Amino acid sequence: MMPPDDLLAGSARAESRATDGQRRFGTIALIGKYRSTAIAGPLRELAAHLRGRGVEVLIDRLTASNIGMDPSRACTLEEIGPRAGLAIVIGGDGTMLNLARTLAPFGVPLVGVNQGRLGFLTDIPLDAMVPGIDRILDGHYSGERRLLIEASIA
């Protein structure tokens, strides 16, 4: 098992666009379900895998503190927004909705890894996380745009 602070070590930027017109994700943010320590192993595995593919990995500061990583080496969501080409959310639909709301102003695409039993918004089951993310990084995906509605009661 890699030491927690090694999650960010050794990353490099990949080119910004794939040759087939699909987006290439050179910087990827990893964000986990709030206060879930169960995501530590999968998140570390995914971070190492992404670094091995030459991707720069950003870790959310709250996620870092939940998995025992020094939060000072991680990023706030406001810092992730302008830097990330993709955010991978490990959790459930509630986590996805929260992150969609927070990262929408930055236009960061999200992909969800479902930590729970049933996910309507989280596309990839936890046990298929690495091959599922690899397919996306290899350009085998189709994007969907979703509306974000803001309402208030007067």
Side-chain angles (χ1 to χ4, degrees), residues 67 100 134:
I67 65 168
D134 276 345

Side-chain angles (χ1 to χ4, degrees), residues 39-140:
I39 57 131
L43 193 133
R44 286 187 174 115
E45 175 190 359
L46 185 57
H49 181 75
L50 293 171
R51 283 194 333 269
R53 287 189 60 128
V55 173
E56 179 183 11
V57 176
L58 307 174
I59 307 290
D60 163 60
R61 188 164 288 156
L62 287 175
T63 301
S65 65
N66 287 335
I67 65 168
M69 180 184 154
D70 179 1
S72 69
R73 298 202 50 205
C75 301
T76 65
L77 293 174
E78 292 73 25
E79 293 167 335
I80 285 172
R83 292 179 59 193
L86 176 70
I88 299 173
V89 180
I90 301 174
D93 289 346
T95 308
M96 275 290 280
L97 287 171
N98 182 42
L99 270 296
R101 190 173 37 251
T102 303
L103 294 176
F106 301 102
V108 177
L110 303 175
V111 64
V113 176
N114 187 14
Q115 182 191 17
R117 293 184 194 127
L118 178 64
F120 294 100
L121 300 174
T122 49
D123 295 319
I124 301 171
L126 189 59
D127 61 356
M129 175 181 67
V130 171
I133 298 300
D134 276 345
R135 290 199 40 78
I136 292 169
L137 295 180
D138 292 339
H140 302 286

